[in-house]
Amino acid sequence: MEEAATKPSFRRAWRYSRCLIPAGGYYKWTSTKSPKQPHFFSSTDNEETLWLAGLLSVWNDLRTCAILTRAANDTVPPIHDRMPLLLDSAERNDWLSGPDQADLGVA
């Protein structure tokens, strides 16, 4: 997320095409050799669905999206230093309405 607003490939989508991507969870893998060990992360809150911040774009008549990532919170660092930008119910409208807030997804 830290660079998406300024990268040429994401700048337009950052301004005009933000989206929410629903997910039941996400995987991170550990190990440098095959087979890698999967670790599944899901909601520990009352909501079953995780909402990931995304950017939508159209390329050659194909709709694509990118999931934004951020530095990992306290639950992920032993496994990986990055994680998807997860938005709670209070942050979703802020993300979609467009103000640049660096603290989204921190909780």
Side-chain angles (χ1 to χ4, degrees):
M1 173 174 162
E2 299 88 351
E3 299 174 357
T6 59
K7 292 243 183 215
S9 56
F10 294 112
R11 197 173 16 223
R12 182 172 172 73
W14 179 271
R15 284 191 206 125
Y16 305 112
S17 300
R18 295 179 182 199
C19 65
L20 296 173
I21 301 168
Y26 66 94
Y27 284 94
K28 289 291 184 179
W29 286 264
T30 55
S31 180
T32 56
K33 298 180 180 180
S34 281
K36 293 188 177 201
Q37 175 65 42
H39 300 273
F40 183 71
F41 294 87
S42 61
S43 177
T44 58
D45 201 349
N46 290 335
E47 281 190 89
E48 290 183 23
T49 303
L50 297 177
W51 294 94
L52 290 60
L55 298 175
L56 178 68
S57 62
V58 178
W59 180 76
N60 290 340
D61 295 327
L62 177 67
R63 289 184 182 186
T64 64
C65 67
I67 296 171
L68 296 180
T69 62
R70 61 178 303 276
N73 65 19
D74 295 341
T75 62
V76 182
I79 297 165
H80 203 276
D81 62 342
R82 305 288 300 164
M83 64 181 285
L85 178 58
L86 304 173
L87 301 171
D88 65 25
S89 59
E91 296 173 318
R92 291 179 209 140
N93 283 338
D94 289 339
W95 169 247
L96 293 174
S97 65
D100 294 338
Q101 292 179 307
D103 60 344
L104 286 177
V106 172

